Amino acid sequence: MITERIREYLDYLDPGNRRYLEELRREAEEGEVPIIRRDSERFLRALLAGLRPLRVLELGTAVGYSALVMAEELPPSAHITTVENYAPRIARAKENLARYGVGRITLIEGDAFQVLREQPDESYDFLFLDAAKGQYVKWLPELLRVLSPGGTLLSDNVLQGGDTAESRFVIDRRDRTIHSRMRAYLEQLSRTEGIRTSILPIGDGLAFSVKV
Ligand SMILES: C[S@@+](CC[C@H](N)C(=O)[O-])C[C@H]1O[C@@H](n2cnc3c(N)ncnc32)[C@H](O)[C@@H]1O
């Protein structure tokens, strides 16, 4: 997507984070917990700083890193709900959110789709979708239902290291299901009436969608 030279330059421009977040990032990387990439984080921060949404839903908490990033950018009256279903990460996320979350992040333990279906219509201004990548297309109608008009849906990892753009015949057989589902997701995001989408080659690919 971008050259090594550009990557190094962008890393050089990155001002870094407060110490607790840098420690959480290092810990996540050492423990092979997948968290938002640095360049995607920069975009997420800039987006939230401009939009200032008050009701945020994140699907895929991991250990709470991106929820804490988002909390730093939101107005004091904003609230973040974040969902995770993997017990070892839930335990770590609870510790991190209790320690650094200043009380405006609610962690729901459970399956993201189930939780999504329980949310009222138009109850969120901003959705950060960062959970089971193969499920995005199935979840889309519910994502659009819970999003308020003018609200933003940011979906991470949509380019799958470039695989999404490739023909299925060059994709490893075991990755073909996620490949076809992600392509279907991006086609729906791009062609569904009532949403505007731009696919950004930032990090592992971000789909930036607005419900009009
Ligand atoms: C990429 S990680 C999230 C990273 C996090 N947003 C961050 O940047 O700090 C994706 C997480 O989604 C969780 N997950 C996957 N499928 C899920 C589901 N159906 N319901 C809830 N969580 C799920 C995984 O256990 C994993 O921790």
Side-chain angles (χ1 to χ4, degrees):
M1 281 194 270
I2 59 171
T3 63
E4 198 50 40
R5 183 77 194 108
I6 295 174
R7 155 92 17 259
E8 282 168 14
Y9 179 60
L10 296 184
D11 286 348
Y12 153 78
L13 288 177
D14 191 322
N17 282 322
R18 289 165 60 193
R19 209 160 90 197
Y20 80 97
L21 279 177
E22 291 297 347
E23 278 166 14
L24 285 186
R25 177 175 285 285
R26 202 185 53 242
E27 192 186 300
E29 285 168 359
E30 282 169 10
E32 296 185 7
V33 175
I35 62 166
I36 189 167
R37 295 195 189 180
R38 279 188 190 273
D39 46 358
S40 304
E41 177 187 330
R42 300 267 43 108
F43 180 75
L44 177 63
R45 281 182 180 277
L47 191 61
L48 292 177
L51 294 173
R52 299 174 65 77
L54 295 180
R55 303 167 302 167
V56 173
L57 176 66
E58 174 184 62
L59 302 177
T61 317
V63 294
Y65 179 86
S66 52
L68 290 164
V69 164
M70 291 194 284
E72 285 191 355
E73 298 299 340
L74 295 174
S77 57
H79 191 271
I80 300 170
T81 303
T82 180
V83 187
E84 175 60 51
N85 69 350
Y86 183 45
R89 291 192 187 146
I90 291 170
R92 195 71 189 103
K94 275 185 181 167
E95 287 170 26
N96 291 334
L97 297 181
R99 192 152 171 212
Y100 308 114
V102 292
R104 54 207 188 94
I105 305 175
T106 303
L107 172 64
I108 301 182
E109 304 173 32
D111 174 62
F113 188 49
Q114 178 93 23
V115 172
L116 193 55
R117 290 169 68 185
E118 290 161 4
Q119 306 304 302
D121 292 358
E122 300 181 3
S123 48
Y124 293 96
D125 319 308
F126 189 93
L127 305 177
F128 181 43
L129 179 56
D130 194 20
K133 318 298 167 185
Q135 302 301 314
Y136 286 8
V137 68
K138 177 179 158 196
W139 296 355
L140 184 57
E142 288 297 307
L143 292 165
L144 295 178
R145 182 185 63 76
V146 304
L147 192 59
S148 60
T152 297
L153 162 63
L154 189 69
S155 314
D156 201 4
N157 306 104
V158 297
L159 292 178
Q160 298 280 295
D163 280 2
T164 310
E166 297 291 345
S167 152
R168 76 188 299 268
F169 299 107
V170 302
I171 301 296
D172 228 70
R173 205 168 275 277
R174 61 166 190 255
D175 295 330
R176 282 189 186 166
T177 302
I178 183 152
H179 173 259
S180 63
R181 288 182 181 175
M182 192 56 88
R183 284 178 73 98
Y185 180 64
L186 295 187
E187 275 168 38
Q188 285 199 26
L189 275 186
S190 303
R191 291 173 193 163
T192 299
E193 200 56 42
I195 29 174
R196 301 284 181 273
T197 293
S198 177
I199 315 287
L200 306 167
I202 299 174
D204 195 25
L206 288 170
F208 174 30
S209 311
V210 176
K211 179 171 166 180
V212 292

